[in-house]
Amino acid sequence: MVELKKKEAECLEAPQEHGNATSPGCKRTWDKLLCWPEADAGEILALPCPNILFHFMKEPAGMIKRNCTKKGWSDPFPPYHVACPVEDEIPLEEQSYFATIKIIYTVGYSVSITSLTIAVTVLIAFRRLRCPRNYIHVQLFFTFILKAIAIFIKDAVLFQEEGIDHCSFSTTECKISVVFCHYFMMTNFMWLLVEALYLNCLLLSSLSHGRRYFWWLVLFGWGFPTLFTLIWILTKFYFEDTACWDINQGSPYWWLIKGPIIISVGVNFVLFINIIRILLKKLDPRQINFNNSSQYRRLSRSTLLLIPLFGTHYIVFNFLPEYTSLGVRLYLELCIGSFQGFIVAVLYCFLNQEVQTEIGRRWHGKRYGLVPVWRRTRWTVPSSSGVKMTTSVC
């Protein structure tokens, strides 16, 4: 659709090639597929099939002719569907492949939503786990959940009927579903960046000062994607209001979504390198402070797990042409990517030693009739100044 719009604009704005058309002649015209230049009455023009149809044609491209008469242009002959025959139906092999892809990513996102919901419940339910670091994990979990839900909604809206022509299908509902899908995809990457920024804040200052950065990071994680998504919505509405806003090939406005994500991944990579450098210093046996060494070790494990898990795949896929190796791209992005939320829940919650300790404490407390955990979640220890201060596992 975008390519056709460009061709139409070029056709209607191009300088006249045959001078001013006389009254019995034919004017330059666009017939929704080809641009027919000016011609004199009685002249017959022949043009090849549109380039956009080459990907779908069954046979080699033919020629389409139109006769300029005193009454104007004649109908194309032979007709487009004869001169440029295209595949009307998707081959059974491709249908089976796409159906398999959809089943896999549906299962993947469903598993991710379930596991992430449990993880969020656990991190919020236990008071000793409530701290800025885990709150940031919870925000990241929410972005995965919302992204998966947005994808399910988009599929339900765009593929509600098998006979829908997606080149011309355009409704408010489908545009809203695409907007939310892009928005939550961007928030997902922004909160990955927030994870790295917060770790830098903790490592570059004392751990107690990390709380002062929390709300600024929350504002960035949700506000930055909101700003760019709103700008993208306005540009699409006023300059490229075609289909369901889901065709991005060749669109310059797609960089309003794509650009911030690429920048966030690049900044993330730099921050990860810096975090590793700081951790190597702080974990040096000659300089280590045993009071917070376990905290730094937990942070280092979290960071090293983030590096292969996020960002790398997007850098690889993002710079490939939109429709290059589509089959492999769909499998890697949708099938493997759909289980990413599940992996995050396992690494940051289910395998988290703090979470396991709290669950074990609650389990054994109930089993042996000990004091309930929520009654002994706040501990006081004397600080170096003699003032009582509360501590937590975070």
Side-chain angles (χ1 to χ4, degrees):
M1 291 296 293
V2 175
E3 184 176 347
L4 287 177
K5 286 286 185 181
K6 289 181 179 179
K7 294 289 185 182
E8 180 182 6
E10 292 173 2
C11 175
L12 300 179
E13 295 176 4
Q16 297 177 347
E17 296 177 359
H18 293 271
N20 295 324
T22 58
S23 53
C26 300
K27 295 182 179 180
R28 174 184 294 273
T29 185
W30 171 258
D31 67 354
K32 297 185 178 180
L33 286 175
L34 287 174
C35 181
W36 296 90
E38 292 181 352
D40 297 325
E43 188 175 357
I44 298 176
L45 297 184
L47 296 177
C49 292
N51 293 335
I52 195 172
L53 299 180
F54 283 175
H55 304 289
F56 312 101
M57 292 179 59
K58 302 177 184 177
E59 303 170 1
M63 300 292 291
I64 301 171
K65 301 178 182 179
R66 294 186 77 174
N67 183 18
C68 178
T69 67
K70 294 181 179 180
K71 295 182 179 180
W73 287 107
S74 66
D75 292 334
F77 64 93
Y80 279 104
H81 69 274
V82 175
C84 314
V86 298
E87 294 282 355
D88 296 328
E89 297 182 358
I90 301 176
L92 292 177
E93 295 81 5
E94 291 189 19
Q95 290 184 20
S96 176
Y97 175 79
F98 290 131
T100 303
I101 291 288
K102 186 173 183 179
I103 291 173
I104 294 174
Y105 79 71
T106 300
V107 172
Y109 282 123
S110 300
V111 171
S112 293
I113 290 175
T114 303
S115 58
L116 287 166
T117 302
I118 296 173
V120 169
T121 303
V122 169
L123 292 180
I124 294 177
F126 293 98
R127 290 186 180 180
R128 286 173 58 81
L129 296 176
R130 298 176 190 174
C131 63
R133 179 166 57 87
N134 282 340
Y135 286 155
I136 288 178
H137 292 338
V138 169
Q139 304 287 329
L140 179 62
F141 294 170
F142 272 127
T143 64
F144 276 107
I145 293 172
L146 294 172
K147 183 177 75 170
I149 293 174
I151 288 174
F152 284 148
I153 293 174
K154 187 184 78 169
D155 284 354
V157 173
L158 292 180
F159 305 105
Q160 54 187 320
E161 297 178 11
E162 293 186 0
I164 291 179
D165 180 10
H166 293 282
C167 293
S168 59
F169 181 65
S170 178
T171 63
T172 302
E173 292 80 6
C174 77
K175 291 175 183 178
I176 291 175
S177 67
V178 170
V179 166
F180 277 108
C181 195
H182 291 333
Y183 171 70
F184 290 124
M185 178 181 67
M186 192 188 295
T187 57
N188 188 229
F189 280 95
M190 291 304 114
W191 275 98
L192 294 176
L193 178 58
V194 167
E195 287 274 0
L197 287 171
Y198 187 72
L199 286 176
N200 270 268
C201 292
L202 294 182
L203 295 173
L204 292 174
S205 61
S206 65
L207 293 174
S208 59
H209 292 166
R211 296 174 183 271
R212 71 174 58 172
Y213 305 108
F214 175 72
W215 290 110
W216 287 107
L217 294 175
V218 170
L219 180 63
F220 171 79
W222 294 106
F224 192 79
T226 301
L227 174 63
F228 277 86
T229 304
L230 288 175
I231 296 174
W232 179 75
I233 291 172
L234 293 175
T235 55
K236 292 291 285 187
F237 182 77
Y238 287 105
F239 305 112
E240 200 176 81
D241 191 10
T242 58
C244 280
W245 297 358
D246 58 333
I247 301 175
N248 301 307
Q249 185 181 22
S251 172
Y253 309 115
W254 177 233
W255 283 97
L256 289 169
I257 303 293
K258 189 176 181 179
I261 292 177
I262 295 175
I263 293 173
S264 72
V265 173
V267 174
N268 239 341
F269 179 77
V270 175
L271 290 175
F272 285 146
I273 298 299
N274 187 52
I275 290 171
I276 293 174
R277 180 186 64 81
I278 296 173
L279 288 172
L280 289 177
K281 280 187 177 182
K282 291 186 177 292
L283 293 175
D284 187 343
R286 295 169 297 180
Q287 302 179 14
I288 194 166
N289 181 351
F290 290 98
N291 292 329
N292 54 21
S293 62
S294 61
Q295 178 75 298
Y296 288 133
R297 287 194 176 92
R298 285 199 298 269
L299 291 175
S300 64
R301 283 198 298 268
S302 300
T303 305
L304 293 175
L305 287 173
L306 274 173
I307 293 173
L309 193 59
F310 309 118
T312 307
H313 71 286
Y314 193 84
I315 291 176
V316 174
F317 295 138
N318 194 70
F319 292 101
L320 291 175
E322 197 73 22
Y323 296 102
T324 300
S325 302
L326 186 59
V328 177
R329 185 189 185 102
L330 286 176
Y331 177 78
L332 293 176
E333 285 190 333
L334 291 177
C335 295
I336 297 179
S338 64
F339 287 94
Q340 195 177 38
F342 169 71
I343 297 173
V344 172
V346 170
L347 294 177
Y348 281 92
C349 183
F350 305 140
L351 295 182
N352 189 309
Q353 185 177 1
E354 298 163 357
V355 173
Q356 293 175 353
T357 300
E358 289 304 302
I359 292 177
R361 192 191 303 270
R362 173 69 64 86
W363 171 257
H364 291 301
K366 286 187 175 182
R367 184 177 180 182
Y368 297 109
L370 300 178
V371 179
V373 175
W374 59 81
R375 293 186 182 176
R376 47 191 176 85
T377 53
R378 298 183 71 83
W379 299 79
T380 59
V381 296
S383 66
S384 57
S385 61
V387 179
K388 298 285 185 177
M389 58 183 292
T390 61
T391 64
S392 73
V393 294
C394 295

